[in-house]
């Protein structure tokens, strides 16, 4: 059965941080997002992933847990892209 509700397989968001680049760029790493994003209670590298895959587990204050895979991190152009997915323990996510 097909749905008539429009859906998207990709969402693009961007944010502007009101601070000098030199003050914040070193924080823009997936494992450090909890240091400035108040919705997160913790973020850390996932163990057991391959060395070429950068996967970080984000734990939100409401209990939601997401695995986030870094796609790109450019220190030249100053941007980061990542793909998020559900942690295996969260059935209602996504």
């Amino acid at each position: 059965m097909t749905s008539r509700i429009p859906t998207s397989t990709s969402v693009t968001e961007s944010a502007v941080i009101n601070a000098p680049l030199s003050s914040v760029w070193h924080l823009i790493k997936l494992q450090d997002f909890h240091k400035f994003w108040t919705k997160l209670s913790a973020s850390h590298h996932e163990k057991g992933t391959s060395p070429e895959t950068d996967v970080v587990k984000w734990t939100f204050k409401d209990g939601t847990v997401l695995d986030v895979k870094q796609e790109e991190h450019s220190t030249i152009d100053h941007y980061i892209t990542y793909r998020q997915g559900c942690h295996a323990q969260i059935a209602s996510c996504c």
Side-chain angles (χ1 to χ4, degrees), residues 1 22 28 34 39 44-45 60 63 69 86:
M1 183 173 179
S22 61
I28 310 298
H34 72 282
K39 300 285 186 188
H44 62 274
H45 279 285
F60 289 83
K69 180 182 181 278
C86 293

Side-chain angles (χ1 to χ4, degrees), residues 19-37:
L21 182 64
S22 61
S23 298
V24 296
W25 182 246
H26 65 282
L27 296 173
I28 310 298
K29 295 177 179 65
L30 294 179
Q31 71 273 12
D32 293 333
F33 271 38
H34 72 282
K35 293 179 181 178
F36 63 88
W37 192 9

Side-chain angles (χ1 to χ4, degrees), residues 23-87:
S23 298
V24 296
W25 182 246
H26 65 282
L27 296 173
I28 310 298
K29 295 177 179 65
L30 294 179
Q31 71 273 12
D32 293 333
F33 271 38
H34 72 282
K35 293 179 181 178
F36 63 88
W37 192 9
T38 59
K39 300 285 186 188
L40 289 178
S41 61
S43 57
H44 62 274
H45 279 285
E46 232 356 62
K47 296 187 190 304
T49 58
S50 65
E52 61 273 353
T53 304
D54 194 8
V55 177
V56 174
K57 182 189 292 185
W58 283 352
T59 304
F60 289 83
K61 291 181 179 176
D62 70 357
T64 302
V65 178
L66 292 177
D67 290 330
V68 183
K69 180 182 181 278
Q70 183 170 302
E71 300 287 334
E72 295 178 81
H73 188 273
S74 173
T75 55
I76 295 171
D77 296 323
H78 299 106
Y79 70 88
I80 182 172
T81 60
Y82 59 89
R83 180 178 308 267
Q84 67 184 36
C86 293
H87 190 270

